[in-house]
Every structure is written in C-alpha cells, then in structure tokens.
Amino acid sequence: MISTETLDLRVDNSVLYATLDAPPLNLIGPELVRDLVNLVLYLESHDDISVVLFRSASSEFFSAHVDMYRASELGAEVSRLEPGAPLGELYRRISALNQVSIAAITGRVRGAGSEFVLACDMRFAGEHAMFGQPEIGLGAVPGAGALQHLTRLMGRGRALEALIGAEDFPADLAAQYGWINRVLPEDELPAFTSALAHRIARFPTAGIADAKRRVNALTLPDPDALHEDSQLFLAGLGRPETKARMQQLFAAGMQTDGALEAGFGAGLDDLAPSRL
C-alpha cells in the first residue's frame, strides 16, 4: 500500500478504507490532492481492490472547500495524471475507476470538497451533514464538476437553486434533491456503508467494471466541459468583486475552525453587496 500524509488507508477483504485526515477542515490542498493522485494511480493498476470507502476523521468537516491560500499549487499535483489537467480531471478519474467509490459523509462538505464526493459513485450522509456550493456567492462558478453533476442529479431548476442560491443544504434536503443517495443516523452510517462496501466486494469485478463503464458513458461529463468549468472558475477568482468578497471572508475567519466555516451559507449573507 502507498504511503500518504492526509489519507489513512487500510484494506479489509478487497475494501480500501480511505479516511481524510487533514485537520481541522480537510481542505482540498496540495497535500490532499497529491495523496488522491497517488491513490488513483495505485488503484488504476491494482485489481485486488473492489471498493474504496472514503470517510473523514472529523465529525465536523468531511471537507470544507479548496485551500484558497494554496489553490495555485494544485495544478502541479494534478498534472501528474495529465499535463495541464484541472482538479476536475482528478475527480473524473475517481469516477472512472473500475473500483466502486463510496463516500460516507459526516459534517460539512462544500465547494471542491462537495465536488469530490459528487465524483464518487455513491454518497451516504449522516443526519447532521451539511452540503454547499458557495462559489457563486463569491463571484465565481464551481470549477471541478458541480455544475455538471448537480444538473444531472437534480435537474435544471434545483441545480440552479443549489448553485446560484449558494446556501447550505442539510442532509435530508440534499437527499430529497438528489445530491446524495440517502441519509442515515450518525451512529448507523459507518456500519451501513461498510456492509454495502463488503457486499459489493464479494461480486465479480468484471461485472462491476462493465456496469460502471456503461453508466459512466451515460452520466459523466466530457473532459472538455470540466476544463471549461475550471477556466470559468479561475476567471471568476480574478474579478475585482470576487477578490473583495474573498478579503471579507478571510477577515471573518474563512479557513479557520470557527463560526464562518460552521455556517458558510449564512456567512455569505453578511458580505457587503457587490457594487461592480
């Protein structure tokens, strides 16, 4: 098994448990992206693993969002998969694995963290989990797959509500809209997702891979679409009004384990209205 800094890995009967452990917020930063790239490369060449079960070591944050201080460093890590590839390409490669990927979500998952779990084949959440795509509240669009996945999962109207409204969605509403498969009591989530993973791991791997390939052909976005979303995200970050709103959020405690990250959607309400 590979060595990783931000993922705790263990294998049990063809199920790989991958626990995100980059406290306090599990930000999508260069170390976590590097470890995910290494994991994808490992899985693409190892057919002894049937299922990957992603979990979080934190009960408060599955993954808050991208590390905005170090977002420019992610490209060098993702480019190990394909030169010039955006973050969405890493996530697409997770979706395209022969292995089944399951996300067991506790706490808050927003932005690029939400896009990570959207790339997984299945998503199950504890009853206190919270979901959000706050990017448009800052002045950019999600750049790593949320535009593509949420529209396919929710339909046009609900996707626009989630994306443009930029509010936090509690787990029960996220399930109702199709963001996740289902909600479970917090104390039942680990056992349920583990049992499902081991059930799938007992099935023939060729059948799993064939089913994923056909479903992916119908549902996954084209790589060019993900690249365009990434370019729009980067262009949005460069706008003066976005930079001004980011400064307000950092001043209010973004990327610290405080009230803003606990209620990011509500925090967007407190930003000064854009005049540009």
Side-chain angles (χ1 to χ4, degrees):
M1 181 53 62
I2 58 175
S3 176
T4 54
E5 178 183 348
T6 63
L7 295 172
D8 292 332
L9 305 177
R10 71 176 179 89
V11 178
D12 181 14
N13 292 326
S14 298
V15 175
L16 172 61
Y17 291 83
T19 303
L20 279 65
D21 191 7
L25 304 177
N26 284 335
L27 294 172
I28 305 295
E31 291 82 12
L32 181 52
V33 169
R34 178 199 61 215
D35 288 344
L36 287 172
V37 168
N38 288 339
L39 180 59
V40 165
L41 292 172
Y42 177 86
L43 292 171
E44 288 178 340
S45 61
H46 285 75
D47 58 7
D48 55 326
I49 302 296
S50 297
V51 183
V52 185
L53 179 54
F54 290 104
R55 304 185 296 188
S56 173
S58 168
S59 62
E60 298 298 323
F61 290 93
F62 186 93
S63 177
H65 47 74
V66 74
D67 186 341
M68 294 305 303
Y69 285 121
R70 306 181 68 191
S72 63
E73 300 176 39
L74 304 187
E77 300 296 341
V78 182
S79 291
R80 293 165 47 219
L81 294 173
E82 181 180 316
L87 181 61
E89 173 61 19
L90 167 61
Y91 292 166
R92 190 193 69 81
R93 291 277 281 267
I94 292 173
S95 301
L97 289 169
N98 286 338
Q99 293 88 355
V100 174
S101 53
I102 300 173
I105 302 156
T106 53
R108 299 155 183 84
V109 58
R110 303 186 181 101
S114 167
E115 291 174 301
F116 167 54
V117 301
L118 284 168
C120 293
D121 298 324
M122 306 175 202
R123 293 161 297 284
F124 302 93
E127 58 196 330
H128 302 306
M130 193 73 68
F131 298 78
Q133 294 291 162
E135 293 90 343
I136 291 176
L138 278 68
V141 300
L147 291 169
Q148 308 293 326
H149 289 298
L150 290 181
T151 303
R152 288 165 168 79
L153 291 167
M154 296 181 176
R156 182 175 183 273
R158 286 180 168 178
L160 287 171
E161 178 189 347
L163 293 163
I164 297 178
E167 292 186 293
D168 288 339
F169 275 54
D172 56 351
L173 184 58
Q176 179 183 335
Y177 273 36
W179 206 317
I180 56 176
N181 288 59
R182 69 170 91 173
V183 182
L184 294 112
E186 299 285 333
D187 59 352
E188 296 179 15
L189 179 66
F192 174 86
T193 51
S194 182
L196 177 61
H198 282 277
R199 172 181 172 82
I200 294 170
R202 292 194 295 270
F203 299 156
T205 56
I208 293 171
D210 285 346
K212 279 201 58 176
R213 181 172 54 84
R214 295 303 297 144
V215 171
N216 285 347
L218 294 169
T219 59
L220 285 189
D222 186 272
D224 288 342
L226 293 172
H227 183 77
E228 182 175 354
D229 291 352
S230 176
Q231 294 301 110
L232 288 171
F233 171 72
L234 294 174
L237 292 185
R239 295 184 183 120
E241 62 268 38
T242 303
K243 293 179 179 179
R245 293 170 82 78
M246 291 287 294
Q247 290 175 357
Q248 293 180 60
L249 288 169
F250 279 124
M254 185 168 70
Q255 297 197 185
T256 65
D257 189 9
L260 177 67
E261 291 289 359
F264 206 104
L268 293 175
D269 293 339
D270 297 330
L271 295 177
S274 174
R275 303 300 184 192
L276 300 176

